Amino acid sequence: MPDEPLAAAPVLRTERLILRGHTRADFDECAAMWADPQVTRHIGGRPSTEEEVWARVLRYAGLWALLGYGYWAVREWESGRFVGDVGLADFRRAVTPALGDAPEAGWVLAPWAHGRGLATEAVRAVLSWADAHLAAPRTVCLIAPGNAASIHVAEKCGFRERERGTYKAEETIICERPRG
């Protein structure tokens, strides 16, 4: 872990997407995404309030400042439309078994973006960046057992189920991906 604060998120570009650090201008679209029950049914099980989303956006910025990695706001390259949040974190989750110090990948997309391959495209860009810039030998992710779409994205991005665990009294799948 770096001892000095680091710069903001780098900009990543893919065929269809641009990934950049969150700004205040992303808040309304981010809040609308996190307020959608379809989005949150496998992530916490309930829509987020604006206060919770604001704290999440602040946390995203803090990850970059303290760890040198974090979450990106994802937008379509051509239209500029908000796609979602994708990135890496160390949330120090109280998950059993423990995740260790591996960066944890995560992704959440607005409902209109589901089923179009955008999550896979964004996660692959993040993992490619991580392989080039982080010394971590592996990344992990947590997925609710009923979240077939995220399990599919994880598998396409090289994650494999390591084991089943418990997070906030719920079963979770702990997946792992060795450094590319």
Side-chain angles (χ1 to χ4, degrees), residues 55-143:
R56 181 177 284 117
V57 171
L58 294 173
R59 182 173 56 217
Y60 291 161
L63 287 166
W64 284 104
L66 295 179
L67 301 178
Y69 60 87
Y71 270 70
W72 284 265
V74 181
R75 292 190 172 272
E76 271 191 320
W77 177 252
E78 287 187 16
S79 70
R81 192 172 184 188
F82 182 78
V83 173
D85 301 333
V86 177
L88 301 165
D90 177 356
F91 292 132
R92 306 228 172 183
R93 295 188 194 273
V95 62
T96 304
L99 300 177
D101 60 357
E104 178 189 339
W107 52 92
V108 58
L109 273 60
W112 73 267
H114 294 179
R116 298 180 49 194
L118 296 174
T120 300
E121 188 173 327
V123 172
R124 284 180 174 158
V126 167
L127 294 172
S128 178
W129 177 88
D131 288 346
H133 295 91
L134 302 179
R138 66 189 179 100
T139 51
V140 296
C141 66
L142 299 179
I143 303 175

Side-chain angles (χ1 to χ4, degrees), residues 19-41:
L19 291 74
R20 58 156 177 75
H22 289 79
T23 69
R24 289 178 12 182
D26 297 314
F27 178 74
D28 289 340
E29 292 164 299
C30 195
M33 176 185 70
W34 282 102
D36 190 309
Q38 181 182 351
V39 170
T40 60
R41 75 173 180 252

